[in-house]
Amino acid sequence: MRTLRTLETRVLGYAIERVDERDHLGTVRASWYEVLSPELGNVIGSCAGRAEAERIVIRRELEQARRALPLNASVKAA
């Protein structure tokens, strides 16, 4: 089996790639999407559909914003 990676889109700096696994005849046997981090290009998640991959990006960004909020709030209060 061989895999072919295709950049589908970029969302907030994250790359979303479609990965197709092909047999020796070139027929697609399996497909999925992977989300790559903007910093190092590491795979941070994989899923069956593009919409799910976009949700991974949004959830990660919201989590990072939530963690940063208390730090910003304490700086303003001081």
Side-chain angles (χ1 to χ4, degrees), residues 13-51:
Y14 296 80
I16 296 178
E17 294 184 342
R18 185 181 72 242
V19 182
D20 295 325
E21 189 173 76
R22 299 174 180 264
D23 64 9
H24 66 284
L25 298 174
T27 306
V28 176
R29 295 295 178 190
S31 289
W32 65 91
Y33 290 82
E34 292 185 345
V35 179
L36 287 75
S37 71
E39 299 87 19
L40 300 174
N42 297 333
V43 176
I44 60 169
S46 63
C47 52
R50 180 174 163 175

